[in-house]
């Protein structure tokens, strides 16, 4: 019987269908699984037809509705149909007619290319303009190309003797080893810049493009072979050039083979339900690995599936708990914890959820401390600053409350210093900008110690003190509260929080599972796992494939972090080289420079109305702002302009609930969430960076830079919440964090463009 597989290209398209069209699509896909091949091809409702003059004889189109057409691959070998794309009826045949699918025999995967566009270049020896959205641009400057593929042992071929070719350092023999076929080898010899390669991304075979992009970045051939080619190869044997059925099943990063109606609907919907059913091979290996001999870490950029892997890991651990065992799933904020709870409920049956606590690290610390000290209450950081100001005055110190707070937070509490001798150690303040002599250190220590005594005497403890006390209590217990601890958004935790989590489970196999990304660190916490007694050597795993955000948005947002060195999660070393790639394509972000606030609000309302007119549901649109005050103003102003809008509180509301209004929230609150369309509003020089939340450079220059980096990451996080459409606006002076090219090319007059 035929079986259906779905290409990731379909996922953003499904969101554009109205409910009746979605129902017709699901009914059509059901027939692909239920009918024999002959009956399927002859079915009158589906109207499956070959293209009259297409590049690929295996491509078929079928009718979904009067306005929408499905494009599928009906291979001659095997019975696995691949749903390739969903397109408006008037453009489907044109797009499908230009595409060709081939088996990459080196990697054993199925690849799609714009054969018409490439043929015009390779066939004529021209270099064409970049291909956009699956079509070909007009031909550019004509240059000679090799008439035939060079001998395998030959050296590299340079197509433009007057310019340095992009791949003149790679031989054809090595390109062939890496799975680059003859047509693409000839084509890539015409390129001179990485920008040209990126411009042709939509036309090139997906896996071969990744090989070429890594080579263009300067990665050695052997490393590309090891990191890109070998992981794709099938576990058993080679895949023949005509074995499309096996190639489809082996294309695990972009293709999902579905088994029932609910799975089809979940996968096409592209929501969490899809990924709770389907994990890509590397994700599944990490989530369901029977044993890690100690703490394990998963890191990766936005949309690479870290949270989903963490949730599946909880599922595995809950299914294998010893008698009386418990699992802790934790994240940084209440909002993120609520999101984890909702998603975990989709994944685990009720009887397993009973064995899992989903709480913040702060809530864990408070629970532990209250067991021994029931009258303890919570103090905010502002309360601590006020107390330190009072103590500094009493001690006659010249230092500000901000300076004392930074010493308290980033030196004494971060390093777990408990004595004056520990603070006097030459290494205690390593990295702090302002030097202190021994006498000054003693003065600072005694002032902070005085403040801490006052906190404890009054039973009013801030987060850092709660964790210090919780870690002390847990360290003294032979029986730990948890068998396993799974930590999401790990990059934002303070060392005191890590000590609590480390003490919550006994060291051993599968004790800690950590997921995070230092690009998204929006608080000023840096940690060293080694100093915290968390040994991860040999158990650190990067995820490189983004399944949520289009490549255009990901590349644009990456420019926000330009020049900023990203450190390895939990280690004081640079993150290993490697590129996060997206399996999705779309439009570039829209950027708007307004004359004033009213103009920016008018443009925002127009942009949101455009999204709604394009069929995006209000609940799939989010406007994000820097502050709560601006959030409330945007809700009010959008409503007055006839756009349904409501404040979104991530700790209370859920993105899985249908909403009749556009959601408006802060940049901090949108962390960990995703929407089809995101508008990042008010990206001004005053808002980002907000200097009220940045340590003065005279207090500590290093902390000043760390605070700026955290706010830069905040903008990056807000922009990468968008799945397919991103709109960024400001009035007055733009934020210096914005990509320079975006600022220079921003729309500056007239209504916002749809």
């Amino acid at each position: 019987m035929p079986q259906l597989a779905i290409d990731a290209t379909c996922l953003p398209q499904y969101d554009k269908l109205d409910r009746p069209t979605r129902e017709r699509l699901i009914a059509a896909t059901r027939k692909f699984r239920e009918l024999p091949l002959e009956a399927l091809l002859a079915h009158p409702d589906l109207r499956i037809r070959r293209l009259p003059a297409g590049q690929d004889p295996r491509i078929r189109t079928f009718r979904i509705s009067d306005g929408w057409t499905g494009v599928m691959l009906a291979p001659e070998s095997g019975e696995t149909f691949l749903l390739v794309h969903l397109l408006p009826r008037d453009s489907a045949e044109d797009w499908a007619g230009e595409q060709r699918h081939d088996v990459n025999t080196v990697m054993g995967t199925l690849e799609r290319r714009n054969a018409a566009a490439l043929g015009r270049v390779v066939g004529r020896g021209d270099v064409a303009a970049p291909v956009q959205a699956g079509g070909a641009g007009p031909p550019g400057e004509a240059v000679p190309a090799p008439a035939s593929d060079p001998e395998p042992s030959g050296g590299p071929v340079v197509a433009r003797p007057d310019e340095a070719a992009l791949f003149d350092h790679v031989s054809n023999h090595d390109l062939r080893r890496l799975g680059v076929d003859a047509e693409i080898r000839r084509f890539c010899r015409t390129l001179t810049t990485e920008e040209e390669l990126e411009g042709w991304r939509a036309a090139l075979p997906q896996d071969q493009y990744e090989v070429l992009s890594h080579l263009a970045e300067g990665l050695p051939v052997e490393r590309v072979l090891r990191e890109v080619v070998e992981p794709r190869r099938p576990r058993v044997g080679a895949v023949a050039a005509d074995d499309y059925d096996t190639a489809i099943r082996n294309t695990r990063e972009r293709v999902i083979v579905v088994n029932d109606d609910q799975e089809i609907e979940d996968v096409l919907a592209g929501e969490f339900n899809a990924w709770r059913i389907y994990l890509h091979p590397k994700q599944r290996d990490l989530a369901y690995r029977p044993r890690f001999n100690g703490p394990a870490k998963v890191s990766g950029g936005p949309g690479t599936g870290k949270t989903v892997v963490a949730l599946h890991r909880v599922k595995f651990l809950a299914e294998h708990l010893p008698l009386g065992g418990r699992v802790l799933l934790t994240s940084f904020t209440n909002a993120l914890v609520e999101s984890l709870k909702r998603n975990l409920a989709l994944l685990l049956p009720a009887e397993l959820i009973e064995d899992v606590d989903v709480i913040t690290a702060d809530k864990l610390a408070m629970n532990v401390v209250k067991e021994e000290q029931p009258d303890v209450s919570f103090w905010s950081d502002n309360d601590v600053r006020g107390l330190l100001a009072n103590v500094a005055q009493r001690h006659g110190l010249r230092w500000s409350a901000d300076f004392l707070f930074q010493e308290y937070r980033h030196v004494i509490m971060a390093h777990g210093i408990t004595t004056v001798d520990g603070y006097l150690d030459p290494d205690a303040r390593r990295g702090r900008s302002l030097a202190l002599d021994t006498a000054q250190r003693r003065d600072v220590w005694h002032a902070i110690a005085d403040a801490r005594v006052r906190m404890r005497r009054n039973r009013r403890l801030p987060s850092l003190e709660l964790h210090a006390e919780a870690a002390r209590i847990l360290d003294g217990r032979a029986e730990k509260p948890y068998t396993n601890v799974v930590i999401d958004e790990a990059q934002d935790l303070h060392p005191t929080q890590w000590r609590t989590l480390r003490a919550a489970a006994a060291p051993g196999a599968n004790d800690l599972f950590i997921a995070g990304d230092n690009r998204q660190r929006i608080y000023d916490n840096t940690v060293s796992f080694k100093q915290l007694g968390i040994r991860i050597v040999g158990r650190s795993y990067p995820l490189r494939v983004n399944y949520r955000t289009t490549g255009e948005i990901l590349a644009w947002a990456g420019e926000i972090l330009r020049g900023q060195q990203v450190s390895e999660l939990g280690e004081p070393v640079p993150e290993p080289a490697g590129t996060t790639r997206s399996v999705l394509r779309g439009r570039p972000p829209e950027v708007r420079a307004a004359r004033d606030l009213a103009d920016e609000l008018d443009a925002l309302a127009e942009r949101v109305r455009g999204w709604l007119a394009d069929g995006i549901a209000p609940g799939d649109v989010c406007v994000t702002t820097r502050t709560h005050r601006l959030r409330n103003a945007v809700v009010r102003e959008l409503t007055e302009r006839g756009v349904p809008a409501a404040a979104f509180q991530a700790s209370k509301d859920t993105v899985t609930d249908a909403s009749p209004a556009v959601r408006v929230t802060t940049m901090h609150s949108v962390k960990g969430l995703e929407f089809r369309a995101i508008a990042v509003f008010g990206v001004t020089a005053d808002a980002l960076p907000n200097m009220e939340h940045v340590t003065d450079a005279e207090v500590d220059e290093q902390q000043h830079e760390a605070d700026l980096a955290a706010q830069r990451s905040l903008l990056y996080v807000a922009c990468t919440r968008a799945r397919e459409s991103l709109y960024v606006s400001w009035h007055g002076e733009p934020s210096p964090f914005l990509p320079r090219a975006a600022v220079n090319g921003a729309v500056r007059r007239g209504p916002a463009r749809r």
Side-chain angles (χ1 to χ4, degrees), residues 402-412 414-415 423 426-436 441 524 526 695-696 699-704 706-707:
D402 277 345
F403 172 78
L404 294 176
F405 182 79
Q406 299 297 345
E407 289 293 297
Y408 165 72
R409 178 181 180 84
H410 294 293
V411 179
I412 293 172
H415 297 299
Y423 186 60
D427 290 331
R429 298 186 71 252
R430 184 182 297 276
R432 307 305 294 175
S433 299
L434 183 63
L436 297 177
R441 288 199 195 193
D524 58 349
T526 57
T695 302
D696 193 299
V699 173
D700 191 292
E701 186 176 349
Q702 179 170 305
Q703 191 59 48
H704 174 82
D707 292 344

Side-chain angles (χ1 to χ4, degrees), residues 597 601 604 623 625 629-640 645 664 681:
L597 178 59
L601 286 163
L604 173 67
V623 180
T625 65
R629 178 188 295 179
L630 186 56
R631 178 201 67 184
N632 296 338
V634 167
V635 171
R636 182 178 63 253
E637 296 292 338
L638 284 180
T639 304
E640 290 180 359
V664 186
F681 183 86

Side-chain angles (χ1 to χ4, degrees), residues 715-729:
L715 177 59
Y716 174 78
V717 167
C719 293
T720 54
R721 302 305 94 195
R723 285 162 51 191
E724 55 188 88
S725 295
L726 173 63
Y727 173 87
V728 179
S729 68

Side-chain angles (χ1 to χ4, degrees), residues 102-111 113 170-185 188 204-212 215 221 224-225 228-230 232-233:
D102 302 290
V103 176
N104 187 311
T105 56
V106 174
M107 292 184 251
T109 55
L110 185 75
E111 297 177 314
R113 72 189 71 200
V170 188
S171 71
N172 284 284
H173 172 67
D174 282 336
L175 288 174
R176 182 180 288 106
R177 290 173 60 212
L178 296 171
V180 180
D181 63 42
E183 180 182 44
I184 305 305
R185 290 197 295 274
C188 77
L204 296 174
Q206 298 98 316
D207 295 323
Q208 295 184 56
Y209 171 82
E210 186 176 345
V211 165
L212 294 175
L215 292 172
V221 168
V224 177
L225 184 68
V228 179
V229 177
E230 291 178 355
R232 285 167 165 76
R233 286 175 173 161

Side-chain angles (χ1 to χ4, degrees), residues 393-406:
Q393 186 176 20
R394 288 170 57 88
H395 284 250
L397 301 182
R398 65 180 179 85
W399 295 290
S400 67
D402 277 345
F403 172 78
L404 294 176
F405 182 79
Q406 299 297 345

Side-chain angles (χ1 to χ4, degrees), residues 193-451:
T193 67
E194 291 185 54
E195 289 71 24
E196 282 183 299
L197 175 63
E198 170 62 25
W200 276 90
R201 178 176 181 174
L204 296 174
Q206 298 98 316
D207 295 323
Q208 295 184 56
Y209 171 82
E210 186 176 345
V211 165
L212 294 175
S213 66
H214 280 72
L215 292 172
E217 290 173 7
L219 270 63
V221 168
E222 294 304 321
R223 180 173 172 184
V224 177
L225 184 68
R226 183 174 66 252
E227 294 186 4
V228 179
V229 177
E230 291 178 355
R232 285 167 165 76
R233 286 175 173 161
R235 293 181 177 86
V236 228
V239 180
D242 61 350
D243 191 354
Y244 282 74
D245 194 67
T246 301
I248 287 172
R249 294 171 180 276
N250 189 54
T251 310
R252 298 181 293 264
E253 286 189 349
R254 298 186 303 275
V255 172
I256 303 170
V257 179
V258 291
N259 299 302
D260 57 49
D261 295 344
Q262 186 60 50
E263 191 171 356
I264 291 171
E265 188 167 4
D266 285 343
V267 168
L268 286 171
E271 300 294 343
F272 178 81
N273 285 358
W275 309 118
R276 74 179 171 89
I277 293 172
Y278 182 85
L279 284 173
H280 294 276
K282 185 170 184 178
Q283 296 172 336
R284 178 166 292 279
D285 174 67
L286 295 172
Y288 290 96
R289 186 171 297 187
R291 180 184 176 93
F292 291 104
N293 293 320
K297 178 183 71 177
V298 173
S299 60
T304 54
K306 301 179 299 297
T307 297
V308 179
V309 170
L311 288 164
H312 277 268
R313 188 63 184 170
V314 171
K315 180 177 184 291
F316 171 82
L317 295 170
E319 290 172 339
H320 295 83
L321 276 175
L323 188 64
R326 292 195 67 75
V327 177
L328 170 66
L329 172 60
T330 186
S331 194
F332 187 73
T333 66
N334 289 325
L336 293 172
V337 160
E338 290 305 310
S339 176
L340 290 174
K341 283 181 181 177
R342 291 188 292 266
N343 289 337
L344 197 64
L346 298 172
L347 187 60
L348 267 66
E351 60 271 19
L352 289 183
I353 287 180
E354 291 179 1
D355 294 328
V356 181
D357 288 339
V358 189
I359 56 176
T360 64
D362 286 353
K363 175 65 173 171
L364 168 63
M366 179 64 83
N367 291 347
V368 171
V369 174
K370 273 188 171 292
E371 289 177 10
E372 295 195 0
Q373 305 173 39
D375 56 343
V376 162
S377 60
F378 180 76
W379 248 25
S380 71
D381 285 348
N382 285 336
D383 293 326
V384 176
R385 282 188 171 91
L387 176 59
L388 288 171
N390 180 268
V391 168
Q393 186 176 20
R394 288 170 57 88
H395 284 250
L397 301 182
R398 65 180 179 85
W399 295 290
S400 67
D402 277 345
F403 172 78
L404 294 176
F405 182 79
Q406 299 297 345
E407 289 293 297
Y408 165 72
R409 178 181 180 84
H410 294 293
V411 179
I412 293 172
M413 300 305 293
H415 297 299
I417 297 173
T418 57
T419 66
V420 66
D421 288 340
Y423 186 60
L424 294 177
D425 186 288
D427 290 331
R429 298 186 71 252
R430 184 182 297 276
R432 307 305 294 175
S433 299
L434 183 63
L436 297 177
D437 61 29
T438 300
Q440 290 171 326
R441 288 199 195 193
R442 287 185 184 277
D443 289 341
V444 170
W445 172 264
H446 289 306
I448 293 174
D450 184 3

